[in-house]
Amino acid sequence: DGGITQSPKYLFRKEGQNVTLSCEQNLNHDAMYWYRQDPGQGLRLIYYSQIVNDFQKGDIAEGYSVSREKKESFPLTVTSAQKNPTAFYLCASSIEPEPWNEQFFGPGTRLTVL
Amino acid sequence: AQSVAQPEDQVNVAEGNPLTVKCTYSVSGNPYLFWYVQYPNRGLQFLLKYITGDNLVKGSYGFEAEFNKSQTSFHLKKPSALVSDSALYFCAVSSGAGSYQLTFGKGTKLSVIP
């Protein structure tokens, strides 16, 4: 899982609560990404950031928010507006935001809504 | 829009036999193709990528993949399967047509039978 850490490993949320998932990297990578993984659906991009203080929506950004105040940190907030948040969330980074660069993934956070 | 298809949800192979995991793609512009592996409840690990040049790409753990432009395919192969190769494999594509996004297939579960 390289130099990317995600916490917590497991997270339980009650309906109506916002929760924040942490992602930190010590690889000095410029670009960072958040994906959602559901069984049988592969990975879907939620948000990505090419550089500090900048981020763009991915394919399924509704109900999520992010910030990129530091190069090494890219936290994801799952808001109460996200209707089906139970999933496995993966953070990734790449050295530069170019399409030929491989992405390095963290170990993931499994979010369950009670 | 770019897309990836992994036509087999599951592939079973006997230990010591060659394995193939299939992937086809669709992009505008030049494709950049990737294979990742995921073990249960873990993040994705990068195996190999095709950017340009030689159509046969060699990667980690003895895996290789062959890029076929006319068939728009990028199949993952290994000459002799190990039980420890059992995992979920994802093919992914990005392109030089202005997008930084990596699009993933739905994954293929590989089971190597002792």
Side-chain angles (χ1 to χ4, degrees):
Chain A
D1 298 324
I4 302 178
T5 58
Q6 291 185 242
S7 61
K9 186 174 177 67
Y10 297 97
L11 185 57
F12 298 91
R13 188 194 94 171
K14 293 181 180 179
E15 288 193 21
Q17 286 183 334
N18 293 354
V19 291
T20 297
L21 283 59
S22 170
C23 176
E24 303 278 333
Q25 55 102 355
N26 63 2
L27 301 169
N28 200 33
H29 285 178
D30 284 334
M32 297 187 74
Y33 312 82
W34 273 106
Y35 294 91
R36 170 180 171 142
Q37 184 178 16
D38 296 282
Q41 292 195 44
L43 278 69
R44 293 181 289 169
L45 183 66
I46 304 173
Y47 269 98
Y48 64 100
S49 169
Q50 300 173 30
I51 199 168
V52 175
N53 293 322
D54 181 69
F55 49 83
Q56 284 82 41
K57 294 181 179 180
D59 298 324
I60 56 164
E62 184 176 354
Y64 300 97
S65 66
V66 294
S67 63
R68 186 87 186 276
E69 297 176 0
K70 298 186 297 183
K71 186 175 185 177
E72 59 271 22
S73 179
F74 191 41
L76 173 74
T77 296
V78 184
T79 75
S80 57
Q82 170 49 236
K83 297 306 178 187
N84 185 23
T86 294
F88 191 49
Y89 290 88
L90 289 161
C91 179
S93 70
S94 63
I95 188 165
E96 291 177 345
E98 300 292 351
W100 50 79
N101 286 328
E102 61 269 31
Q103 295 180 15
F104 295 85
F105 285 79
T109 292
R110 187 167 298 280
L111 173 62
T112 303
V113 174
L114 302 174
Chain B
Q2 56 195 38
S3 65
V4 174
Q6 294 182 240
E8 300 157 318
D9 291 336
Q10 177 147 358
V11 170
N12 297 321
V13 63
E15 186 177 22
N17 283 4
L19 69 87
T20 298
V21 183
K22 296 179 180 178
C23 171
T24 59
Y25 66 91
S26 173
V27 293
S28 300
N30 293 324
Y32 303 104
L33 293 152
F34 303 81
W35 275 103
Y36 290 85
V37 60
Q38 184 181 35
Y39 296 97
N41 296 310
R42 301 289 299 276
L44 276 65
Q45 296 178 28
F46 168 73
L47 283 177
L48 51 79
K49 68 179 178 181
Y50 171 83
I51 300 177
T52 187
D54 194 347
N55 289 342
L56 185 63
V57 178
K58 294 186 183 298
S60 306
Y61 313 118
F63 285 95
E64 58 189 27
E66 186 168 11
F67 171 66
N68 187 316
K69 187 174 182 178
S70 63
Q71 297 186 5
T72 61
S73 67
F74 189 58
H75 301 331
L76 181 70
K77 300 181 180 183
K78 188 175 182 182
S80 178
L82 301 173
V83 173
S84 57
D85 292 330
S86 298
L88 188 58
Y89 290 81
F90 289 98
C91 181
V93 68
S94 60
S95 79
S99 172
Y100 297 120
Q101 293 194 23
L102 193 58
T103 299
F104 287 84
K106 295 185 177 182
T108 298
K109 183 179 180 181
L110 173 66
S111 294
V112 181
I113 303 163

